[in-house]
C-alpha cells in the first residue's frame, strides 16, 4: 500500500483543517489506518486510528473531542478532521496503515503534510 497525505496548511487557533490520506493498492479496506504527528524537536506521536470497517476509533488524549478520524473505503481514503486547533497542534502529520498503530509502528507510512496553527 502506498499512502499520500495532503490537506495541511496554516490556520489560526480555533480553526479547522481536514487532512486526507489517499491509498494506492488493492487491499486498502483490509488495513487499519492511523494518523501521527511530529512537532519540531519532538518525537513522532500517535494521534488517531480507525478500524478497517470504520466502526472503531482510537484517539490520543491530547486530541480527543477535537479531532475525528474517518475513512471511505470506496475512495481508498482516510481523513482527519481537526477542529478547535491549538498552537500545540503544529506538526508534520503522517498517515500510516497496518502494524501497531498505537505504538507508532505501522506497516506503511505516507509522506507528511505540515500543519501550522498560529496563535
Amino acid at each position: 500500500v502506498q499512502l499520500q497525505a495532503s490537506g495541511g496548511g496554516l490556520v489560526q487557533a480555533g480553526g479547522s483543517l481536514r487532512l486526507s490520506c489517499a491509498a494506492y493498492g488493492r487491499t486498502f479496506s483490509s488495513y487499519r489506518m492511523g494518523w501521527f504527528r511530529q512537532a519540531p524537536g519532538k518525537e513522532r506521536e500517535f494521534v488517531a486510528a480507525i478500524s478497517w470497517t470504520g466502526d472503531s476509533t482510537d484517539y490520543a488524549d491530547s486530541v480527543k473531542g477535537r479531532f475525528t478520524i474517518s475513512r471511505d473505503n470506496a475512495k481508498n481514503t482516510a481523513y482527519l478532521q481537526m477542529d478547535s486547533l491549538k498552537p500545540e497542534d503544529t506538526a508534520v502529520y503522517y498517515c500510516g496503515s497496518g502494524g501497531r498503530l498505537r505504538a507508532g509502528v505501522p506497516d506503511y507510512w505516507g509522506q507528511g503534510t505540515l500543519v501550522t496553527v498560529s496563535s
Side-chain angles (χ1 to χ4, degrees), residues 6-78:
S6 62
L10 174 65
V11 64
Q12 288 188 331
S16 298
L17 277 177
R18 188 176 81 156
L19 306 182
S20 298
C21 177
Y24 302 91
R26 294 180 296 170
T27 59
F28 169 80
S29 61
S30 300
Y31 287 95
R32 297 175 65 241
M33 296 294 298
W35 286 96
F36 309 82
R37 67 186 182 185
Q38 187 167 18
K42 295 187 177 181
E43 293 186 353
R44 192 175 301 188
E45 64 177 359
F46 168 81
V47 174
I50 188 167
S51 64
W52 69 273
T53 60
D55 60 357
S56 177
T57 57
D58 186 21
Y59 296 94
D61 288 344
S62 59
V63 306
K64 200 171 293 184
R66 299 187 299 120
F67 291 9
T68 303
I69 189 171
S70 62
R71 67 190 296 162
D72 184 339
N73 288 343
K75 296 182 178 180
N76 281 6
T77 303

Side-chain angles (χ1 to χ4, degrees), residues 7-19 36-37 45 47 62-68 80-93 113-119:
L10 174 65
V11 64
Q12 288 188 331
S16 298
L17 277 177
R18 188 176 81 156
L19 306 182
F36 309 82
R37 67 186 182 185
E45 64 177 359
V47 174
S62 59
V63 306
K64 200 171 293 184
R66 299 187 299 120
F67 291 9
T68 303
L80 185 68
Q81 177 67 40
M82 305 185 295
D83 298 318
S84 302
L85 282 162
K86 304 175 181 180
E88 52 263 44
D89 294 318
T90 294
V92 177
Y93 283 72
T113 184
L114 177 62
V115 173
T116 303
V117 184
S118 63
S119 58

